[in-house]
Amino acid sequence: MEWGDTLVLRLENVGLRYGDGPEILRDVSFAVRTGDFYFLTGPSGAGKSSLLKLLFLALRPTRGTLRIFGEDVGSLSHSNLPTIRRRIGVVFQEFRLLDHLSTYDNVALPLRVAGKSESSYRRDVMDLLDWVGLAEKSADLPPVLSGGEKQRAAIARAVIAKPQLLLADEPTGNVDPVLAKRLLHLFLELNRLGTTMLIATHDKGLVRQAERPVLHLEQGALNLQ
Amino acid sequence: MKPGAIIPSTAASLTSLTVTMAVMCYLACLAIGALILVDRAVTSWTSGLSREMTIQVRMMRGTDIVQEVEKARAITAAFPGVVSADILDESEGAKLLEPWLGTRSLEGLPVPRLIRVVSDTANPPNIPALEEALLQVKGARLDTHQKWEAELTRMARALSAVSYAILLLICVSAIAIVIFATRAVLQANRHIVDLLHLVGARDSYIARQIDGRFLRTGLLAGFIGVGLGLFTFLLLGLLGGGSESGVAAASRGLLFSTPSIAIWSYGLLFAVPGAATLICLITARVTLMRRLGVAT
Ligand SMILES: Nc1ncnc2c1ncn2[C@@H]1O[C@H](COP(=O)(O)OP(=O)(O)OP(=O)(O)O)[C@@H](O)[C@H]1O
Ligand SMILES: [Mg+2]
């Protein structure tokens, strides 16, 4: 296995536990190359969201080594994190939209915190909102959006900055099959343009349609299916 | 479409911080007012006092007081460094004693006679030598006011030290309150701060979203404090009526003195909002950067 830019993620014997609780992840080892597209499946409570949290640097492994874009996460300082996080887009399972900001402002947030001016991203954000069917809702606040609309806003926010790696946690959990298919096409299209994908899902239909490799997590162990 | 504030100003409002800071600024203004007044009073007392001396000639058995007084005057007037030496007549001397003895007639009482001596400040007389020379006069004693001056200066220094200590305490408590308020704002917006971190915001960016509010709070509180302070001095000045001395006159002096002095007073008082703003801004910023740096 070669090193360098082609390796986006590399986990070696990664273990994770919350506090004194049981080990949620045990000896997880896998590597993801640039342009890969993986699904992550497993029963509820298996630790899919926890694994993703490790990958977007919200948690540190309790043991083992995790490398992201070639950087050893264990030796990263707090001030290095923003640079890496800007290369990763995340769709959170619970969306985590900011209720006091409009849909437009929520989607534009990653660009805004990166210091871009409103005039420079306005067009892109409106186009993306249009594409996910939220153009009419751009001025609405998240609390008045439906579950599926929130999900689409969350996806739009994750992809707006054209991340190199997209981590999505149940991105089709709240939408009907037609919209799910549409979103899958968005992911496949982004992947075709070079974005590496890791999508945690329960949606067997989605996995079947996409015909992409599946990483299965069960009882703390991760296996390629 | 103007982007909305990333940290909403409604979560954890800074109203109580504004009120507390305004009170702090008000107290700081009072302390500064006291400092200026004490400083001004000391200058005017000491400059008057050190120019003047008094010679007391007490009635002694077997001497002619009038002769002795005249002798003392002549010796002093001729002394180098003395501008003038005038004998106060008895009624003038009695007037000086009024505060202690009242307006009763002093007829027949052995009231000492006084000579007012004005010295040349540029070339002051040699006091020990003058005292030596006055030994020729029976019952004469030179009073240089130095004891008074020392006493006044000591008291003024104590008052100034207390005022400085109060200012220092005000600063320390202001910093402490701002630290608590900053933590409260962070706590109330924890979920927003966490998300901002996850979408790649730097600590300095997040801090900038918050510390502007502390800047405005400091500025507003500072001006409220100074406003109240000026109002207080005005009120003190007006309530005291037309009296020439005391707190009332001193307060008027703070507000309406000659331009060169007034510039000082107003300058020091209006430094309060500046200091309040700096304390708010810097404390909030340092607290934010330290707290944000602890997060993952
Ligand atoms: N912050 C936390 N503190 C303690 N335990 C946690 C925490 N987050 C998750 N867990 C535990 O870790 C285990 C895995 O949770 P996780 O959310 O990763 O599962 P999941 O695979 O995403 O489940 P689902 O498919 O339902 O989303 C669960 O048993 C959960 O109780
Ligand atoms: Mg989950």
Side-chain angles (χ1 to χ4, degrees):
Chain A
M1 190 177 296
E2 76 273 39
W3 282 99
D5 277 347
T6 55
L7 219 48
V8 176
L9 294 173
R10 182 178 170 82
L11 288 81
E12 273 173 292
N13 304 317
V14 165
L16 175 74
R17 64 168 87 233
Y18 290 102
D20 296 331
E23 223 173 23
I24 307 289
L25 302 175
R26 269 192 300 271
D27 291 315
V28 169
S29 301
F30 72 95
V32 174
R33 286 191 185 75
T34 301
D36 282 356
F37 190 130
Y38 283 105
F39 283 109
L40 178 62
T41 61
S44 180
K48 300 182 295 296
S49 298
S50 303
L51 177 58
L52 293 183
K53 278 181 196 160
L54 286 179
L55 303 183
F56 59 76
L57 305 166
L59 286 178
R60 301 280 176 117
T62 35
R63 62 189 177 84
T65 55
L66 165 60
R67 285 179 169 272
I68 299 178
F69 301 120
E71 304 268 8
D72 184 351
V73 166
S75 61
L76 279 180
S77 73
H78 179 74
S79 59
N80 296 136
L81 299 183
T83 320
I84 297 197
R85 281 172 171 157
R86 285 176 194 183
R87 300 166 71 179
I88 305 174
V90 185
V91 183
F92 302 96
Q93 187 167 15
E94 62 285 17
F95 313 139
R96 301 181 77 161
L97 299 169
L98 297 181
D99 286 348
H100 65 285
L101 291 181
S102 68
T103 304
Y104 172 90
D105 282 339
N106 265 290
V107 171
L109 196 62
L111 300 173
R112 197 167 159 192
V113 305
K116 301 235 161 54
S117 73
E118 213 261 339
S119 57
S120 73
Y121 59 66
R122 195 179 158 66
R123 190 73 259 148
D124 292 346
V125 174
M126 284 315 288
D127 284 350
L128 184 58
L129 282 174
D130 196 29
W131 203 90
V132 297
L134 288 177
E136 256 98 88
K137 307 277 179 181
S138 69
D140 291 3
L141 299 182
V144 305
L145 298 182
S146 76
E149 287 166 342
K150 283 183 204 167
Q151 184 129 53
R152 280 177 276 157
I155 293 171
R157 182 182 63 192
V159 303
I160 186 66
K162 303 188 178 69
Q164 288 165 265
L165 171 64
L166 185 74
L167 304 171
D169 201 349
E170 298 287 353
T172 56
N174 287 273
V175 296
D176 59 56
V178 177
L179 189 58
K181 199 167 175 185
R182 209 168 134 79
L183 290 174
L184 177 62
H185 276 114
L186 170 65
F187 296 143
L188 289 170
E189 181 64 14
L190 285 171
N191 181 236
R192 204 179 56 77
L193 294 172
T195 303
T196 307
M197 294 283 187
L198 184 57
I199 298 176
T201 185
H202 286 290
D203 190 340
K204 296 219 165 61
L206 193 75
V207 175
R208 224 177 298 116
Q209 280 176 48
E211 298 177 322
R212 297 297 165 125
V214 175
L215 293 162
H216 188 75
L217 188 62
E218 194 151 5
Q219 290 179 336
L222 187 74
N223 294 295
L224 186 65
Q225 285 194 337
Chain B
M1 183 158 40
K2 191 179 175 294
I6 287 185
I7 305 282
S9 54
T10 43
S13 95
L14 294 179
T15 316
S16 54
L17 177 67
T18 313
V19 172
T20 331
M21 281 299 286
V23 171
M24 296 278 178
C25 292
Y26 175 61
L27 295 178
C29 284
L30 295 190
I32 287 175
L35 268 176
I36 298 173
L37 288 184
V38 168
D39 182 64
R40 187 115 26 100
V42 168
T43 322
S44 66
W45 286 334
T46 49
S47 66
L49 284 178
S50 49
R51 273 198 76 204
E52 281 191 23
M53 296 183 287
T54 320
I55 294 168
Q56 249 187 65
V57 183
R58 273 171 302 138
M59 207 89 81
M60 302 295 271
R61 233 178 256 281
T63 56
D64 178 356
I65 179 85
V66 179
Q67 241 176 48
E68 295 298 308
V69 169
E70 176 49 34
K71 198 162 130 197
R73 192 202 64 76
I75 292 171
T76 312
F79 205 81
V82 171
V83 176
S84 70
D86 301 301
I87 301 170
L88 300 184
D89 63 28
E90 270 166 292
S91 65
E92 267 184 281
K95 217 177 204 165
L96 286 176
L97 289 173
E98 241 178 48
W100 289 275
L101 301 179
T103 49
R104 278 173 293 158
S105 162
L106 301 173
E107 202 81 50
L109 281 174
V111 178
R113 297 295 306 272
L114 299 173
I115 300 168
R116 178 192 287 142
V117 182
V118 177
S119 53
D120 181 356
T121 38
N123 170 34
N126 181 345
I127 302 290
L130 182 56
E131 273 174 334
E132 178 100 36
L134 284 171
L135 285 178
Q136 300 166 32
V137 183
K138 292 209 170 61
R141 197 167 62 89
L142 178 67
D143 185 358
T144 60
H145 300 183
Q146 260 166 359
K147 206 176 120 242
W148 280 107
E149 210 179 299
E151 200 94 331
L152 281 174
T153 315
R154 200 159 339 121
M155 195 180 73
R157 279 217 197 99
L159 278 174
S160 304
V162 169
S163 302
Y164 280 120
I166 289 175
L167 281 177
L168 189 71
L169 288 178
I170 290 174
C171 286
V172 171
S173 6
I175 289 173
I177 311 174
V178 175
I179 290 177
F180 283 122
T182 312
R183 289 184 187 172
V185 169
L186 271 183
Q187 201 56 46
N189 295 289
R190 189 79 252 172
H191 67 292
I192 300 176
V193 170
D194 285 346
L195 179 75
L196 290 175
H197 271 140
L198 290 178
V199 298
R202 292 189 187 283
D203 292 349
S204 53
Y205 179 87
I206 301 174
R208 271 202 304 282
Q209 308 305 314
I210 299 175
D211 62 16
R213 285 169 64 196
F214 282 86
L215 185 143
R216 284 192 291 281
T217 298
L219 209 59
L220 178 65
F223 278 106
I224 293 174
V226 170
L228 288 177
L230 289 176
F231 184 68
T232 305
F233 294 130
L234 191 70
L235 218 58
L236 282 176
L238 294 179
L239 287 184
S243 82
E244 283 296 308
S245 57
V247 183
S251 306
R252 280 199 298 276
L254 260 187
L255 299 178
F256 316 112
S257 44
T258 56
S260 63
I261 297 175
I263 280 179
W264 260 105
S265 320
Y266 284 107
L268 280 176
L269 288 178
F270 278 96
V272 169
T277 310
L278 278 183
I279 285 180
C280 274
L281 187 62
I282 294 173
T283 309
R285 183 96 192 172
V286 170
T287 311
L288 285 169
M289 290 306 279
R290 290 174 74 153
R291 289 254 139 180
L292 291 171
V294 195
T296 33

